[in-house]
Amino acid sequence: MVPSAQADPPDPAAKKKQLDSQINESKADLHESYDQLAKSVAAYNQAETRYKVVQARYAVAQGKLAAAKAADVVAASKLRQAESALQNALNEVAAGEQVIVLQKQVAGRAAQSAYQQQNSLVGLSIVLKGASPADVATGVQVQKNVFGIQGNTIAKLNNAQAQLASKRAKLTAAEKIVAAQRAEAARTVQQVTALTKQVAQDKAEAAKLAQAQLTAYKAAEKDKNTELAQYNALVAERNRVQQILIARARAEKLAAAKRKAAREAAERAKAKKENRPPRDVPDDPGTSSGLSYPINTYITSPYGMRFHPVLHYWKLHDGTDFGGGCGTPIRAAASGVVSDRYYNGGYGNRLFLSNGVIKGSSITTVYNHLSKYKVRVGQRVSKGQVIGYVGTTGYSTGCHLHFMVYQDGQVVNPMKWL
């Protein structure tokens, strides 16, 4: 989902730091996992984070572009209105100037007529012709009319000039408005151009990151499937060995019971012969003590169930991991016979040591990821004897010993025996 254009885009650096922290926290859980899986998942998560950041920025830029386009439409409309008003003002000024010209012409003719009418010969002409008083009065009225027309013409001229001044003031104001609207329109066009370019860049970057995200996702899915296949192989191997060791444990305990029964029968016979109560007969000699640490070092990952951070299901870590550099000697946790040694894709080089019956249970210790064997199958070894060396073979992210204990054929927590 595309984040809201108003939301602040996530900080890629902070997200990367969070992812790195999560990866470090899950190191112990992935200790027996395909190392590339953690890397590919981290790469996918980081690609996804970068894509979301660009997506958010792209959405914000699109929002700004839409707003700029809307503002550009408004500015263009205002500019058209201002230019129309300016044209009207220009037309009105031109018309006003034409009116002034016409009024000046009328005023000129009126002044000429008045001058002629005011000539003193007019009155004398009236008298000499023997004009009657009525005619004289009529002449005076004509004179008054002429002067009235002249005054009216001058007033109209003055009024036209005042209107022209007002129209010119409106013209000046209209010109200022047009200039302002043109500047605003230019700014919106510039913003639209810049944001269009930004949107195109963000879109291209988003497409590029989407492709990178898809590539990283496919790699993560491939490694995830590899991880799942490896884990299923580990489970299958553990179950296979478990079935063998269960049968072996039954046979071993039965043989130990027979040997003990034989020793008890011998003890009863001896006690009868010596006329005393029979003594308790111990288990097979040399098998009553517990186990010792195969490496004197620290534990990097304990036995138990843990939640897989990538596959998102619970899985059993079926042993105790001891840290140690490759080549570190591994010692037998108890005396016994080497029953098996072979390579497995998950556990790497494996060595099985049948330790016999200890405290009533058939015990087999298993040493995994070895770089080299020191003993052969069928060889009897003593407790503390070097039997191999630490390695990182098989399904391993680094040099360590994955130590397992089978009790009566069932895998158990080694720490209960150490």
Side-chain angles (χ1 to χ4, degrees):
M1 295 179 65
V2 178
S4 171
Q6 287 72 33
D8 293 332
D11 182 4
K15 184 65 176 177
K16 182 180 183 302
K17 185 176 181 181
Q18 180 185 359
L19 290 171
D20 290 342
S21 176
Q22 291 175 354
I23 291 171
N24 289 333
E25 288 176 0
S26 63
K27 275 289 186 182
D29 294 340
L30 290 172
H31 194 69
E32 294 265 344
S33 298
Y34 186 38
D35 191 39
Q36 185 58 39
L37 175 62
K39 294 178 181 177
S40 60
V41 169
Y44 168 70
N45 288 337
Q46 290 166 1
E48 185 179 33
T49 299
R50 288 195 298 270
Y51 176 66
K52 287 182 178 179
V53 169
V54 173
Q55 251 191 336
R57 192 171 69 224
Y58 176 51
V60 170
Q62 281 184 313
K64 288 182 178 179
L65 177 58
K69 285 183 176 179
D72 183 49
V73 171
V74 173
S77 176
K78 288 181 179 179
L79 177 58
R80 287 192 298 270
Q81 292 174 4
E83 288 177 338
S84 177
L86 174 59
Q87 187 60 50
N88 291 336
L90 286 170
N91 294 337
E92 288 180 357
V93 167
E97 289 176 343
Q98 185 64 33
V99 169
I100 292 294
V101 171
L102 294 175
Q103 289 297 331
K104 283 182 178 180
Q105 292 175 354
V106 172
R109 289 194 298 270
Q112 183 180 9
S113 176
Y115 175 76
Q116 291 174 350
Q117 292 296 329
Q118 291 180 65
N119 194 308
S120 60
L121 294 178
V122 175
L124 181 60
S125 174
I126 294 174
V127 174
L128 291 176
K129 289 181 179 179
S132 66
D135 292 332
V136 173
T138 301
V140 172
Q141 184 62 42
V142 169
Q143 220 175 24
K144 285 182 180 179
N145 290 340
V146 169
F147 285 126
I149 291 171
Q150 182 187 24
N152 187 37
T153 300
I154 292 172
K156 287 182 179 179
L157 176 60
N158 290 336
N159 184 42
Q161 288 176 332
Q163 289 180 354
L164 178 59
S166 174
K167 291 174 181 177
R168 281 177 174 165
K170 290 182 179 178
L171 174 60
T172 301
E175 287 175 339
K176 290 182 179 179
I177 292 174
V178 168
Q181 292 303 324
R182 282 176 179 166
E184 181 180 352
R187 284 194 300 271
T188 57
V189 169
Q190 187 177 14
Q191 288 176 351
V192 168
T193 302
L195 286 170
T196 300
K197 183 178 179 181
Q198 181 64 50
V199 166
Q201 290 176 346
D202 289 344
K203 184 178 181 180
E205 186 177 359
K208 182 179 178 181
L209 288 175
Q211 183 59 43
Q213 182 190 32
L214 178 62
T215 301
Y217 173 77
K218 288 181 178 178
E221 279 296 300
K222 178 182 177 182
D223 293 333
K224 181 178 177 180
N225 291 335
T226 301
E227 163 78 4
L228 185 59
Q230 291 281 16
Y231 177 66
N232 289 336
L234 283 176
V235 173
E237 168 70 1
R238 185 171 64 229
N239 291 338
R240 184 188 72 82
V241 169
Q242 193 162 276
Q243 294 303 314
I244 293 173
L245 293 184
I246 287 175
R248 188 179 294 175
R250 289 173 180 166
E252 190 173 50
K253 290 180 74 174
L254 179 60
K258 288 181 178 179
R259 289 193 296 271
K260 186 176 181 179
R263 291 196 300 273
E264 287 175 342
E267 171 59 23
R268 285 195 300 270
K270 185 177 180 181
K272 183 177 181 181
K273 184 177 179 181
E274 296 176 354
N275 195 23
R276 58 174 175 79
R279 299 185 181 94
D280 291 333
V281 175
D283 293 332
D284 287 345
T287 63
S288 58
S289 60
L291 307 182
S292 62
Y293 276 63
I295 302 180
N296 187 20
T297 183
Y298 55 93
I299 294 174
T300 58
S301 185
Y303 173 94
M305 300 297 295
R306 72 274 318 275
F307 186 75
H308 196 290
V310 177
L311 299 180
H312 296 143
Y313 61 71
W314 291 91
K315 72 169 190 173
L316 173 65
H317 185 248
D318 56 11
T320 299
D321 288 347
F322 293 94
C326 285
T328 301
I330 300 171
R331 301 181 182 278
S335 299
V337 176
V338 178
S339 57
D340 295 282
R341 73 172 202 184
Y342 59 89
Y343 177 84
N344 172 263
Y347 292 101
N349 291 325
R350 314 191 75 189
L351 190 146
F352 289 72
L353 192 59
S354 179
N355 305 108
V357 177
I358 301 178
K359 298 180 180 178
S361 297
S362 173
I363 301 298
T364 297
T365 51
V366 187
Y367 310 79
N368 303 279
H369 306 303
L370 276 62
S371 61
K372 185 178 179 181
Y373 300 112
K374 181 68 174 176
V375 293
R376 64 185 182 278
V377 175
Q379 181 178 343
R380 176 168 291 278
V381 299
S382 302
K383 185 176 184 178
Q385 181 179 338
V386 175
I387 57 176
Y389 301 92
V390 170
T392 183
T393 54
Y395 197 38
S396 169
T397 60
C399 298
H400 73 289
L401 169 65
H402 181 67
F403 179 64
M404 301 173 66
V405 173
Y406 283 87
Q407 178 180 348
D408 292 333
Q410 302 284 349
V411 65
V412 297
N413 185 358
M415 301 311 294
K416 67 180 285 189
W417 287 95
L418 292 176

